Amino acid sequence: MRTHLLGLAAFVAAGVAYPFLFPSVLTIAITILLFVGWATAWDVLGGWAGQVSLGHAAFVGLGAYFVAIGVTEYQLAPWWSALLGMAVAAALAFAWGWLTFGLRGPYFTLSTIAFAEILRLVAINEGWLTGGATGVFIATLPEPFGLDLFARQTQYWLALAFAVLVIGIVLALSRARFGYALRAVREDEDAAMAAGIDPKRTKLKAFMLSGALTALGGGLYGMVLSFLEPHVLFYLLLSVQIALTAIIGGRGTIWGPAAGALVLIGAGEVFRTTFAEANLLIYGVLILVIVLFAPRGLVGEATRRAIRRRYAKRAQS
Amino acid sequence: MLDLAIFIQNLANGLLIGGVYALIGVGLTLVFGVMRTINFAHGDFVVLGMYGAVLFDLVFGFDPYLSLLIALPVAFVVGMVVERAILAPIAEAPAESSLLATLGLSLIIGNVLLLTFGGEPRSVQVPYASDTVRIGEVNLSIVLLAAGAATTAMIGVLYWFLERTERGRAVRATAENRLGAELVGIDTRRVQSFVFGMGTALAVTAGVTLIPLLFATPTFTGAIFTLKAFVVTVLGGLGRVGAAIGGGLLLGVVEVLGASYFLSEYRDAYGLLAFLLVLLLRPEGLFGKTVKRV
């Protein structure tokens, strides 16, 4: 636990120092931080509770659209509409989980794809609400305490706060009763039930938390983009990217998703300049390498090695 | 008021399109039945077939159907190699590993196609693209009829193979009970790579038959077909060939009828809604008998 708290402190320190060191490359840093938050939030459900979702773009889109429509149609401040978006995301996650957590194995994963896809079709076709396929444009944002929410500088601090908040929650979770319940359900539902844990309720709570946090990041993403298109926000590839970030970094570990975001979005950016729009190639290659040679993910594999070394040393002395 | 002729027209179109969906779904369900792998790259194999026909058209300029002569054996070998190199080593790992590996494969195929052919939609123009055959009041497009014929032929061959040959019996045995199959001396590892090769070949065939009808884009079309293949197989019940054919035909009809009698913009949503309803109410599939949750 102390190492993790030290890690969090180091993360915050690096995050605070970054804009002073590289004030001109903030957009990529914002993207990385958003993915740190999303992948960590995804991991609550996908890693800790073991339910692989390929529909988290639905929550990103929901959060973004709530902020955009709130500002443009109802003059609602983005922080209120983000909260509203989180509540709706949690409600949807509850309804969805309640319907599908009876399904085991690949069926849940398949159903999440259909879920996000249906939301995307609604966003495209219900133009009166969402601006349809052309999208919504956020033209004005309020200025709380004189802060310009369109400025990359402000958005960077918000993204950093978002990432730290999500990691902090997961850190607290890892030591809480609920965190243990999640892991128990992941390992063996029947055994968890025998220990007095309700698997469905536990998974539902994880799904709601995961969805609400993802929607919060989505609201922020909406302001960063300021132009929202359903093809981007509810897209299957965004769901896939979020899930793969967490998996490549290491599922069910505290720092895995963050490490995954750093490596993947960083590498993705290098690829974007060389391979133009084919930047997802790196995800494809990396996922194969990870699945074949490091099935626990980067951080998972590193921890295992470290633990092994420690035991080997102890055995020698 | 429902016009009967138009209704029959729609029904026929739905069945013909559904036949191609069935072909895609059969490949996916065969692979799932034998290997317990949900192949996320299945739609991308369909798109590979489409681009294969595009390339064939660019190089030779013959009818796209002729490209099957090259595409079928190549697809079969590629499928077997993919299984050997990527899926066989992780056969013992948890179920998600193979799902993730095929997801990675899907991204690689889509993005390599994007690098090779560029992002703009491609298609192959055939001279008979707008020709139709008139039966009574109903006009059937030649392209759709050809797709229907190719699908029927492929599925016929598949049935003959599964029911009448020794290798086909080995495939069915492996799908039914892997351990039992191994006990009677079937090399299930060989069956697996063989089946993955077959699944790939079926997907590529579907892609070739679709290219005169549809435009292919490197990354987007693959995801659409993977999704349709999921819908088809879950509608019917994962792991059963006959059920996938039923599911495919049903999806084709649901889409065409839904689009012409309700909101046409939601064409893709009807299939998804049907998929969700079946998933929630009858996870064993519409045509499944036993309740067996995987």
Side-chain angles (χ1 to χ4, degrees):
Chain A
M1 191 65 186
R2 248 186 54 209
T3 5
H4 287 315
L5 282 177
L6 279 177
L8 190 60
F11 182 77
V12 173
V16 170
Y18 182 86
F20 299 104
L21 296 173
F22 308 99
S24 54
V25 269
L26 284 182
T27 312
I28 170 79
I30 293 172
T31 316
I32 291 179
L33 286 172
L34 282 173
F35 267 92
V36 167
W38 285 330
T40 311
W42 179 91
D43 204 39
V44 172
L45 181 72
W48 296 82
Q51 304 294 310
V52 174
S53 151
L54 289 178
H56 262 53
F59 298 121
V60 174
L62 214 66
Y65 269 95
F66 259 85
V67 166
I69 296 170
V71 168
T72 50
E73 300 287 321
Y74 303 99
Q75 282 78 47
L76 197 62
W79 45 94
W80 297 123
S81 40
L83 274 181
L84 208 61
M86 285 174 77
V88 171
L92 261 179
F94 176 81
W96 196 248
W98 192 77
L99 284 170
T100 55
F101 277 144
L103 308 167
R104 285 195 186 181
Y107 287 116
F108 173 73
T109 306
L110 292 183
S111 80
T112 55
I113 300 176
F115 167 61
E117 197 62 15
I118 287 176
L119 279 191
R120 186 174 71 87
L121 287 167
V122 170
I124 290 175
N125 291 315
E126 302 305 318
W128 58 273
L129 183 68
T130 60
T134 38
V136 203
F137 182 65
I138 305 180
T140 52
L141 281 171
E143 295 188 359
F145 317 111
L147 284 172
D148 178 10
L149 288 178
F150 281 121
R152 285 282 179 258
Q153 197 81 26
T154 322
Q155 290 170 347
Y156 174 84
W157 293 113
L158 288 173
L160 181 64
F162 167 64
V164 170
L165 170 77
V166 179
I167 293 179
I169 287 176
V170 169
L171 204 53
L173 247 173
S174 71
R175 283 299 153 128
R177 203 185 146 76
F178 176 52
Y180 287 106
L182 283 177
R183 276 168 281 183
V185 168
R186 173 185 68 194
E187 295 306 328
D188 189 336
E189 287 198 15
D190 298 322
M193 226 184 306
I197 297 164
D198 182 345
K200 193 169 175 178
R201 250 183 88 151
T202 312
K203 286 193 276 184
L204 272 177
K205 280 194 210 160
F207 199 5
M208 288 166 73
L209 180 63
S210 176
L213 288 175
T214 309
L216 178 63
L220 188 52
Y221 192 42
M223 294 197 290
V224 174
L225 289 176
S226 81
F227 180 57
L228 279 66
E229 292 169 286
H231 293 292
V232 177
L233 284 163
F234 289 102
Y235 197 17
L236 176 62
L237 276 182
L238 180 59
S239 302
V240 167
Q241 251 177 313
I242 293 173
L244 289 189
T245 304
I247 292 163
I248 289 173
R251 273 196 286 170
T253 62
I254 289 162
W255 294 102
L262 212 63
V263 171
L264 273 185
I265 308 297
E269 204 58 26
V270 175
F271 259 60
R272 206 187 301 274
T273 44
T274 18
F275 286 136
E277 69 252 88
N279 57 75
L280 284 170
L281 192 62
I282 180 100
Y283 282 79
V285 174
L286 271 177
I287 193 76
L288 280 190
V289 170
I290 294 281
V291 165
L292 287 173
F293 302 110
R296 286 173 188 79
L298 297 173
V299 169
E301 209 67 26
T303 334
R304 201 173 67 108
R305 295 246 164 105
I307 289 172
R308 259 197 190 169
R309 217 172 297 136
R310 198 186 304 158
Y311 278 111
K313 247 185 216 160
R314 208 173 284 171
Q316 277 169 3
S317 57
Chain B
M1 205 33 226
L2 273 178
D3 189 334
L4 191 64
I6 295 177
F7 179 73
I8 293 176
Q9 170 89 59
N10 285 328
L11 196 64
N13 286 344
L15 285 174
L16 288 173
I17 280 282
V20 182
Y21 291 165
L23 196 58
I24 301 173
V26 163
L28 186 82
T29 217
L30 209 60
V31 168
F32 180 81
V34 171
M35 304 172 59
R36 301 281 130 183
T37 294
I38 296 215
N39 182 9
F40 263 84
H42 200 67
D44 297 277
F45 288 137
V46 176
V47 177
L48 268 184
M50 295 172 104
Y51 273 94
V54 168
L55 192 67
F56 187 78
D57 180 59
L58 288 176
V59 177
F60 301 106
F62 294 143
D63 190 273
Y65 274 95
L66 285 176
S67 73
L68 277 177
L69 292 177
I70 306 172
L72 268 183
V74 169
F76 187 76
V77 172
V78 166
M80 281 181 63
V81 169
V82 163
E83 201 279 338
R84 266 290 138 85
I86 297 168
L87 296 173
I90 53 168
E92 303 301 319
E96 293 111 63
S97 306
S98 59
L99 189 151
L100 293 171
T102 54
L103 198 57
L105 201 61
S106 150
L107 292 174
I108 293 175
I109 295 175
N111 282 285
V112 166
L113 284 177
L114 188 61
L115 286 176
T116 332
F117 289 93
E120 70 273 16
R122 295 289 192 115
S123 187
V124 174
Q125 287 299 317
V126 288
Y128 48 87
S130 50
D131 293 356
T132 54
V133 175
R134 197 174 172 80
I135 307 166
E137 299 276 311
V138 180
N139 289 311
L140 291 177
S141 113
I142 297 274
V143 182
L144 269 179
L145 279 176
T151 311
T152 318
M154 275 303 272
I155 289 178
V157 170
L158 184 71
Y159 256 92
W160 168 80
F161 165 77
L162 285 176
E163 300 290 329
R164 291 275 178 269
T165 64
E166 199 53 42
R167 175 74 55 97
R169 196 167 296 139
V171 170
R172 282 188 293 142
T174 311
E176 207 157 293
N177 186 337
R178 161 179 309 271
L179 188 63
E182 276 170 14
L183 285 176
V184 295
I186 293 169
D187 184 353
T188 54
R189 291 197 44 178
R190 263 185 57 195
V191 168
Q192 285 194 6
S193 39
F194 185 78
V195 162
F196 203 81
M198 266 184 2
T200 312
L202 288 169
V204 165
T205 313
V208 172
T209 62
L210 281 172
I211 194 68
L213 279 170
L214 296 176
F215 281 92
T217 50
T219 49
F220 202 63
T221 322
I224 292 177
F225 282 125
T226 306
L227 214 57
K228 287 214 196 292
F230 290 159
V231 174
V232 165
T233 45
V234 171
L235 274 182
L238 263 172
R240 272 181 299 271
V241 171
I245 296 171
L249 295 176
L250 193 66
L251 176 65
V253 171
V254 164
E255 274 190 8
V256 173
L257 292 186
S260 44
Y261 295 113
F262 299 101
L263 297 161
S264 61
E265 333 58 289
Y266 278 106
R267 178 186 173 121
D268 289 328
Y270 296 121
L272 289 174
L273 283 176
F275 165 78
L276 286 178
L277 283 178
V278 170
L279 203 57
L280 297 177
L281 302 175
R282 256 183 89 84
E284 68 273 23
L286 285 178
F287 311 111
K289 284 185 215 100
T290 51
V291 181
K292 199 166 96 187
R293 302 212 168 169
V294 184

